[in-house]
């Protein structure tokens, strides 16, 4: 009888384990667009996919009134209208994605631009922001954007704010590294502050976050493991830049610190004072380099870089008040602009501001503050 009971118990345990093994996995709660494709050789750049927006840059001769983009979604998600639906993209179109479990939805705006209409504005006044919620409403931060003469949005700036949200150190926009200030040179401006990232930052060896703003996009997928690659710089530009000008005000933080690569903690560096950074890079786009990132945006050996405008070492220090800057684009040796490539949209530009020069290596002074306003790119007449 004991042997029978033991065998019965064994069979019951095996059955329980078997049921557990074949139990269905929980349905996916994500509903993101992860990739976009359009039939034919019509795209001039890889699709730009943001949190709730997709930008498709097509060649100049493409009829945008009849396009049928195909969307790749997170597993199990669906999209309405259906992927492959023919639509008129003379104006931006909206799509709604739904998660596999049906509980979550996102609305995406899909915009199609020709390469000659994708150039960023030539002047930036930082008067326009929208509040973006993160971590299910636990915090919110500012996203800066530009508008054209017709009042429509032409470009959104990127920053490291989405990555900072993961640290749980920010709640409202003014507690994030990059936010809008009312104390601009004229009206409002962008204010960038170097912030501590708390225990989370130390744990992943990223103990501070410099305030930054740049033309491009921030890739959250690489924010923790490959932070230098998470900043993707550039937007199509069909002009030949000559100078970058504007106004800035800079106050370094009280104590410069360098990250200890072993502990992930900040250690004071005696006698060193933090510096800010303002620069612009004009570069050629190739199949293997559609944008620049933190590993190569200023690299001397980057063959795609055509010209750079940048604050001098003396200009990167503290200012008494608002100071004006005019930075010429210095062309690299042997580099010229090919008129045909320019017309075809084969060049891009980025503009970058940072409150700590070494912030991308997680070194700087907590509290360093850079304010920037009324930035303008002067271009050659064509």
């Amino acid at each position: 009888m004991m042997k029978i009971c033991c065998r019965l118990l064994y069979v019951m345990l095996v059955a329980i384990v078997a049921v557990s093994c074949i139990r269905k996995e929980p349905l996916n709660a994500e509903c993101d667009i992860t990739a976009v494709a359009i039939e034919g050789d019509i795209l001039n750049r890889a699709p730009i996919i943001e949190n709730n927006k997709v930008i498709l840059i097509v060649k100049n001769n493409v009829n945008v009134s009849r396009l049928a983009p195909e969307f790749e979604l997170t597993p199990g998600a669906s999209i309405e209208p259906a992927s492959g639906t023919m639509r008129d993209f003379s104006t931006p179109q909206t799509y709604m994605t739904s998660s596999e479990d049906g509980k979550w939805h996102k609305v995406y705006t899909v915009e199609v631009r020709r390469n000659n209409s994708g150039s960023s504005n030539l002047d930036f006044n930082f008067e326009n922001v929208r509040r973006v919620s993160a971590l299910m409403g636990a915090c919110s931060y500012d996203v800066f954007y530009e508008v054209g003469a017709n009042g429509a949005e032409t470009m959104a700036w990127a920053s490291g704010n989405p990555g900072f949200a993961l640290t749980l150190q920010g709640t409202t926009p003014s507690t994030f590294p990059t936010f809008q200030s009312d104390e601009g040179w004229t009206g409002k401006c962008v204010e960038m502050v170097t912030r501590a990232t708390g225990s989370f930052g130390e744990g992943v060896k990223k103990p501070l976050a410099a305030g930054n703003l740049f033309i491009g996009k921030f890739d959250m997928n690489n924010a923790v493991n490959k932070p230098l690659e998470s900043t993707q710089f550039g937007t199509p530009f069909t002009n030949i830049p000559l100078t970058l000008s504007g106004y800035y005000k800079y106050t370094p933080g009280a104590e410069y610190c360098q990250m200890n690569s072993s502990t992930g903690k900040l250690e004071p560096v005696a006698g060193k004072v933090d510096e800010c950074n303002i620069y612009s890079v004009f570069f050629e786009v190739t199949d293997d380099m559609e944008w620049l990132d933190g590993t190569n945006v200023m690299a001397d050996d980057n063959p795609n870089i055509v010209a750079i405008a940048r604050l001098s070492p003396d200009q990167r220090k503290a200012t008494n008040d608002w100071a004006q800057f005019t930075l010429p684009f210095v062309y690299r040796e042997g580099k010229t602009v090919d008129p045909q490539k320019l017309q075809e949209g084969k060049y891009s530009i980025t503009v970058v501001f940072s409150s700590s020069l070494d912030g991308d290596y997680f070194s700087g002074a907590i509290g360093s503050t850079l304010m920037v306003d009324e930035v303008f790119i002067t271009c050659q007449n064509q």
Side-chain angles (χ1 to χ4, degrees):
M1 178 64 69
M2 180 64 70
K3 288 183 179 181
I4 294 175
C5 290
C6 289
R7 287 178 181 175
L8 182 59
L9 179 60
Y10 174 77
V11 170
M12 291 175 64
L13 288 173
V14 170
I16 292 172
V17 171
V19 170
S20 300
C21 290
I22 63 175
R23 183 177 296 159
K24 292 183 178 179
E25 294 293 326
L27 297 178
N28 198 337
E30 296 180 338
C31 52
D32 298 323
I33 293 175
T34 58
V36 187
I38 301 182
E39 185 177 355
D41 183 23
I42 69 172
L43 287 177
N44 192 51
R45 300 289 178 88
I48 301 170
I49 303 174
E50 300 175 350
N51 179 53
N52 56 5
K53 186 174 184 178
V54 176
I55 300 174
L56 303 174
I57 302 174
V58 300
K59 296 178 180 179
N60 289 340
N61 60 351
V62 172
N63 178 9
V64 301
S65 65
R66 288 181 58 80
L67 296 178
E70 297 276 353
F71 299 97
E72 184 176 309
L73 311 172
T74 46
S78 59
I79 190 168
E80 180 64 35
S83 183
T85 300
M86 189 74 69
R87 304 187 75 182
D88 181 358
F89 286 90
S90 300
T91 57
Q93 299 295 308
T94 59
Y95 290 80
M96 176 177 285
T97 59
S98 300
S99 61
E100 185 180 24
D101 63 9
K103 297 180 180 179
W104 301 96
H105 307 277
K106 287 180 70 173
V107 175
Y108 279 89
T109 299
V110 180
E111 178 182 349
V112 174
R113 299 176 182 172
R114 291 185 174 88
N115 66 40
N116 61 1
S117 65
S119 295
S120 66
N121 291 21
L122 297 180
D123 59 297
F124 314 105
N125 53 32
F126 310 108
E127 296 291 332
N128 303 299
V129 295
R130 55 174 168 266
R131 296 277 173 90
V132 174
S133 295
L135 304 180
M136 300 181 68
C139 59
S140 62
Y141 55 82
D142 285 340
V143 172
F144 287 82
Y145 65 93
E146 302 296 330
V147 297
N150 61 358
E153 180 178 330
T154 58
M155 185 198 80
W157 290 82
S159 76
N161 279 346
F164 186 78
L166 300 176
T167 70
L168 303 179
Q169 298 299 300
T171 52
T172 59
S174 62
T175 61
F176 273 72
T178 302
F179 58 95
Q180 187 181 62
S181 169
D182 294 328
E183 300 177 4
W185 168 258
T186 301
K188 300 179 186 299
C189 70
V190 56
E191 183 168 346
M192 293 154 280
V193 181
T194 300
R195 308 279 194 190
T197 55
S199 57
F200 175 88
E202 288 186 357
V204 295
K205 296 185 178 180
K206 295 164 182 62
L208 64 72
N212 63 11
L213 194 73
F214 60 92
I215 294 177
K217 69 175 184 176
F218 185 81
D219 181 9
M220 276 294 292
N221 294 327
N222 284 323
V224 175
N225 296 324
K226 298 179 179 179
L228 290 178
E229 296 179 21
S230 67
T231 48
Q232 298 175 352
F233 302 109
T235 192
F237 201 70
T238 54
N239 300 284
I240 300 176
L242 297 177
T243 62
L244 176 73
S245 58
Y247 296 86
Y248 75 113
K249 182 164 63 173
Y250 185 59
T251 303
E255 184 178 55
Y256 185 95
C257 295
Q258 188 172 10
M259 183 188 72
N260 184 313
S261 59
S262 298
T263 65
K265 296 181 181 295
L266 293 173
E267 297 179 349
V269 179
K272 189 171 179 62
V273 179
D274 206 1
E275 299 177 4
C276 67
N277 208 3
I278 295 175
Y279 64 90
S280 180
V281 181
F282 180 62
F283 63 98
E284 182 180 350
V285 172
T286 54
D287 290 341
D288 61 343
M289 195 177 294
E290 291 199 349
W291 56 75
L292 305 180
D293 61 35
T295 67
N296 60 22
V297 66
M298 300 286 283
D300 292 335
D301 61 351
N302 187 336
N304 288 49
I305 295 177
V306 177
I308 294 178
R310 189 184 187 187
L311 287 181
S312 68
D314 288 340
Q315 292 174 303
R316 296 198 291 261
K317 303 183 186 303
T319 63
N320 294 325
D321 202 346
W322 284 98
Q324 188 174 14
F325 64 88
T326 300
L327 312 175
F329 278 85
V330 178
Y331 282 68
R332 292 197 162 175
E333 185 176 357
K335 290 293 184 180
T336 58
V337 178
D338 184 322
Q340 183 64 32
K341 290 181 179 179
L342 190 68
Q343 184 180 4
E344 294 174 354
K346 297 299 184 181
Y347 291 96
S348 279
I349 199 167
T350 187
V351 178
V352 183
F353 314 116
S354 177
S355 59
S356 289
L357 179 66
D358 300 323
D360 48 353
Y361 294 98
F362 310 103
S363 296
I366 303 299
S368 289
T369 302
L370 173 65
M371 302 172 75
V372 178
D373 202 5
E374 302 301 320
V375 173
F376 189 82
I377 300 175
T378 303
C379 297
Q380 177 179 312
N381 292 329
Q382 300 178 54

